[in-house]
Amino acid sequence: MNKPIVIMNFTGVYDYESFSHNPKFAWIDCTHLQGVECYCDKDGASALKKVIENYPAEGIHFIDSGNYHYLTKFWTDKIHQPFSLIVFDHHPDMQPPLFKEMISCGSWVEDVIKTNPFLKKVIIIGPSEQLIKSVAPQYQNQVEFYSEQSLEQDTTWKKFSAEVISTPIYISVDKDVLNPQSAATNWDQGSFTLEELEQLLSIILKHEQTIGIDICGECPATLNIFEEEKEAQLDSAANKELLKFFLSTQSHAFQQAFKK
């Protein structure tokens, strides 16, 4: 099976991002789905699993705003071999869920840990020290964190470069890890530049086998059309750069999918 580039369009924002207007990309229209924004209920989860059932975890998946970051769980549920999850995010996404019967954009990492028997390791890169401290104690030993602040130190970069991951990996990138000059999101953002993010990704991709990738962090529409156009152009440029970066490290099939 080919490794597709998938666009999951919930908010309509990709309509305004020129990078996505490639006829070889697989578009999945999710604008009609109910019970899926931020919190995903049972019916919403069932509908989402159905719309992605014919697509593999292998590939690059654009999953709209950070409100839908929980989709990483649904994509990684398709992996049936030991793997590690690498998450770039300004938030750990390990908050205690408000509704136990729902998966949310703020608690999905915990859900993956609890439910996926193939998951061997989780590494989260870019959250603030304060948010890391809020993670429940029972997960502190199961998840390795590289905070935004710690990566300013040479010793942490050396530790990160020497990181040993003994399984194939799935990478999830929330663009809120980037500074506001590099991307526009609907959550508070970190301080990484695109170049710094790609440096970190390069360290991982140089040594590890990548199963699949997803990217979120789009900025949904506002009432200010001029601001919307500016944000869409900024995010489109960031997505295009990340896509080219990932394609340069991946197979010929990926590269052909990106060419018109």
Side-chain angles (χ1 to χ4, degrees), residues 6-256:
V6 176
I7 308 289
M8 298 190 71
N9 196 29
F10 288 86
T11 64
V13 69
Y14 291 121
D15 295 330
Y16 303 96
E17 294 190 17
S18 59
F19 94 95
S20 65
H21 300 166
N22 185 321
K24 294 185 178 179
F25 295 175
W27 273 65
I28 301 178
D29 179 20
C30 301
T31 57
H32 62 289
L33 299 180
Q34 302 294 318
V36 297
E37 186 175 1
C38 291
Y39 284 88
C40 184
D41 62 24
K42 185 177 179 180
D43 290 341
S46 177
L48 284 168
K49 289 175 184 178
K50 186 173 181 179
V51 299
I52 69 172
E53 65 182 352
N54 293 325
Y55 299 94
E58 294 80 7
I60 300 177
H61 318 107
F62 288 89
I63 57 176
D64 213 296
S65 84
N67 292 358
Y68 307 97
H69 203 172
Y70 63 80
L71 278 162
T72 302
K73 180 188 185 304
F74 297 158
W75 285 112
T76 55
D77 282 347
K78 292 172 170 281
I79 300 174
H80 300 293
Q81 67 180 87
F83 76 100
S84 295
L85 176 62
I86 315 295
V87 182
F88 288 83
D89 201 316
H90 191 53
H91 311 85
D93 288 353
M94 297 186 67
Q95 301 171 0
L98 291 178
F99 308 101
K100 291 186 177 180
E101 67 278 10
M102 294 186 186
I103 184 172
S104 84
C105 61
S107 65
W108 67 269
V109 174
E110 182 178 339
D111 288 291
V112 178
I113 293 170
K114 285 181 176 179
T115 63
N116 196 315
F118 296 101
L119 180 67
K120 300 304 177 185
K121 189 172 188 177
V122 179
I123 300 174
I124 302 179
I125 303 154
S128 69
E129 297 278 4
Q130 182 179 1
L131 289 175
I132 292 172
K133 290 176 182 177
S134 69
V135 173
Q138 67 263 34
Y139 296 114
Q140 292 285 352
N141 294 328
Q142 293 177 263
V143 182
E144 189 162 359
F145 293 100
Y146 287 91
S147 73
E148 178 183 46
Q149 293 87 347
S150 71
L151 284 165
E152 296 172 359
Q153 303 167 11
D154 288 342
T155 53
T156 305
W157 272 87
K158 290 178 182 177
K159 180 177 182 289
F160 183 78
S161 299
E163 184 77 50
V164 176
I165 304 172
S166 58
T167 63
I169 62 172
Y170 185 96
I171 297 174
S172 182
V173 177
D174 188 332
K175 292 196 299 295
D176 70 12
V177 79
L178 296 169
N179 63 33
Q181 292 73 43
S182 301
T185 78
N186 61 328
W187 296 88
D188 63 293
Q189 293 180 227
S191 62
F192 290 165
T193 65
L194 266 172
E195 181 180 5
E196 288 169 335
L197 174 58
E198 289 181 351
Q199 285 180 323
L200 291 164
L201 286 164
S202 293
I203 293 169
I204 296 171
L205 295 170
K206 190 180 298 182
H207 304 291
E208 312 301 338
Q209 176 189 345
T210 305
I211 297 172
I213 298 159
D214 64 50
I215 300 170
C216 69
E218 309 316 307
C219 194
T222 66
L223 296 177
N224 186 329
I225 189 168
F226 298 107
E227 192 65 25
E228 283 178 25
E229 289 180 357
K230 179 181 176 183
E231 291 166 347
Q233 289 175 5
L234 185 62
D235 281 334
S236 183
N239 285 332
K240 183 176 182 179
E241 172 61 29
L242 286 171
L243 183 54
K244 284 187 173 180
F245 171 81
F246 283 125
L247 291 172
S248 71
T249 68
Q250 300 301 310
S251 69
H252 179 69
F254 266 123
Q255 294 168 22
Q256 288 302 110

